[in-house]
Amino acid sequence: MLGISVYFKDLDVEYLKEAAQCGAKYVFTSLHIPEEDYSDLDQKLPLFLNTCQQLGLQVVPDVSPVTFDKLKVEKGDYHRLKEMGFESLRLDYGFDNYETVKQLQKDFYLMLNASVVNKEYLDGAIEAGVDMTKIALTHNFYPRKETGLGIEAFNHKNEIFKKYGLTIQAFICGDVLKRFPLYEGLPTLECHREKHPLCAAVELIHDCGIKDVLIGDSKASIETLRSIQAYMEGKKLYIKAHLEKNYQYLYDQEIQIRKDQAEQVIRLAVQRVSDVEVYHNTRRPRGSITMQNALAGRYSGEIHLNKIDMGMDARVNVIGFIHPEYVELLNYIDNDTIIIFEKL
């Protein structure tokens, strides 16, 4: 499922409403950020919780000992957190005590810190009678550049978690408002820090088997949220592209992929057209959108997306290109993906 993050310094009720309309289900927030301004929390927190409840958004607060001080609640008074409207908790500490976890499960759905959970912990939890259906594992995000996880170690750890049937959650950056105080993005994987959020989300889903993807930063564009949700729901990929004038009819269409996948190009399942004129024969860098012309014989009219750099071919017209930020999506297109070209 899709999630966003909200921090009280940047609280935007309209963003919550729009995200819910896009299909978001989770709202992560932290209640122990040192740089956060909690001076008006008594006003903002009820507004935040009531809005999320009305919109059907599940609030996931990151809880540590500092949280109780910030909320002016007696330390360890989880019952008070429930009274305030929290239904889920992301525990940064304290879950090494299985009895505590079992007790909290009576009132909350729990997200545990995936960075410190291991096979031994999970085996112990099962033996202790912890309800594994009421637990998810949430990876950290990393505000400082160069500190995010590597994808190989991330995948290796997740393979262990998947054997227990656990939901795994990870974060990607936003593309509108980065979170204070560093404004360097909040991804789980370091390789996602500079990527477009859609590319990062699709990689997590397609290659890493992650089902819950959350925006870590204060805000992502509504267009980005819609695009991620469309891929989650029906493997629809909205790809920003430029098409030459005569081929702009391809915009905003749901285009399927041929079932027999080629190694070097992605072949679109569009009807071929005979006698396509020879036009714009030039080199074809990765991300080019091309059409076979009349010199290709019965292949005339077939449309390809280039997965690699190629030279000029008199039989191939270059009719457009994918926006550079979206070219990486070519890595994740398979025969049940649906492509929708969007105008730049």
Side-chain angles (χ1 to χ4, degrees), residues 274-344:
S274 60
D275 299 323
V276 172
E277 67 173 325
V278 178
Y279 164 80
H280 199 208
N281 308 128
T282 184
R283 67 183 187 87
R284 298 163 287 159
R286 174 173 158 84
S288 296
I289 306 170
T290 67
M291 179 179 283
Q292 309 295 297
N293 61 41
L295 298 179
R298 64 187 178 90
Y299 292 97
S300 178
E302 184 170 304
I303 299 174
H304 296 172
L305 307 180
N306 272 43
K307 295 164 74 173
I308 63 172
D309 293 339
M310 295 182 181
M312 186 272 276
D313 186 331
R315 299 168 297 178
V316 183
N317 301 343
V318 179
I319 64 171
F321 60 86
I322 294 171
H323 188 290
E325 286 189 345
Y326 291 74
V327 167
E328 187 180 326
L329 292 175
L330 295 171
N331 298 337
Y332 316 119
I333 294 173
D334 48 36
N335 56 22
D336 56 352
T337 306
I338 295 172
I339 288 177
I340 299 102
F341 291 123
E342 290 191 302
K343 192 172 184 179
L344 288 176

Side-chain angles (χ1 to χ4, degrees), residues 253-270:
Q253 287 193 39
E254 293 190 2
I255 303 173
Q256 295 185 331
I257 309 302
R258 282 182 57 115
K259 301 305 180 186
D260 48 343
Q261 296 183 58
E263 179 182 14
Q264 299 181 345
V265 296
I266 295 167
R267 303 173 72 186
L268 306 189
V270 297

Side-chain angles (χ1 to χ4, degrees), residues 2-7 10 12 14-16 18-20 22 24 172-179 196-198 201 213-228:
L2 175 63
I4 60 171
S5 295
V6 168
Y7 307 99
D10 299 325
D12 183 340
E14 287 305 311
Y15 178 55
L16 286 170
E18 292 177 327
C22 292
I172 58 175
C173 297
D175 56 350
V176 172
L177 179 60
K178 306 294 186 186
R179 200 199 72 181
H196 190 282
L198 176 60
V213 177
L214 291 80
I215 305 294
D217 282 305
S218 298
K219 204 168 188 179
S221 71
I222 301 307
E223 182 179 53
T224 292
L225 295 180
R226 286 184 182 135
S227 296
I228 295 173

Side-chain angles (χ1 to χ4, degrees), residues 31-33 38 63-71 75 93:
L31 295 171
H32 56 86
I33 304 174
Y38 294 104
V63 177
S64 76
V66 178
T67 300
F68 298 97
D69 294 333
K70 299 294 184 184
L71 296 178
K75 186 172 294 185
Y93 85 106

Side-chain angles (χ1 to χ4, degrees), residues 74-112:
E74 185 179 347
K75 186 172 294 185
D77 188 355
Y78 290 98
H79 181 70
R80 178 60 184 141
L81 297 185
K82 182 183 178 182
E83 289 180 337
M84 295 173 73
F86 294 109
E87 297 178 353
S88 303
L89 299 177
R90 199 267 182 165
L91 300 181
D92 240 357
Y93 85 106
F95 55 83
D96 51 332
N97 185 323
Y98 297 130
E99 292 305 314
T100 299
V101 172
K102 287 163 63 176
Q103 189 64 32
L104 289 175
Q105 285 186 322
K106 296 178 181 178
D107 294 320
F108 304 100
Y109 183 79
L110 301 181
M111 284 80 164
L112 305 185

